[in-house]
Amino acid sequence: METTTPNSGNLGTMGSSGTGAGGTGMGKMNPAQAADRAHTTVDRVAQGAHDTVDRLASKAGPALDRARNAAADAQTTLYSKYDDFMAMEEEWAESARDQIRAHPLAIVGVALLAGVLIGKLSS
């Protein structure tokens, strides 16, 4: 690849144009033509980038909305299940209190038996 020297006006072999090896032989470009060509290329690349970003944004927006809705639905379900679990826990606790009140001696015997078993297992 040729290198550009100051004041030579030769941009070397950039892409498919230029005068170096592999060039099309269009001759030397003056600095104004080279700047205009570079400006056009930059504009084309920038427009392509804008189009790509717009296309990605149009696809990502609905996907983000679906994910947001799914997360909101999951949150609602979790809160509902939590409320159900807390109600069930309260029912079990009330049932245990009722059994303890109805059969206090049996509960003391079960607690004594559990203590003896734990003592045997730990020694």
Side-chain angles (χ1 to χ4, degrees), residues 29-50:
M29 283 194 276
N30 67 34
Q33 290 173 325
D36 187 43
R37 186 170 193 157
H39 182 70
T40 302
T41 302
V42 169
D43 285 346
R44 191 173 46 235
V45 170
Q47 185 60 45
H50 285 293

Side-chain angles (χ1 to χ4, degrees), residues 3-40:
T3 57
T4 304
T5 57
N7 298 325
S8 70
N10 184 2
L11 294 178
T13 57
M14 294 177 57
S16 62
S17 64
T19 58
T24 59
M26 292 177 56
K28 293 183 180 181
M29 283 194 276
N30 67 34
Q33 290 173 325
D36 187 43
R37 186 170 193 157
H39 182 70
T40 302

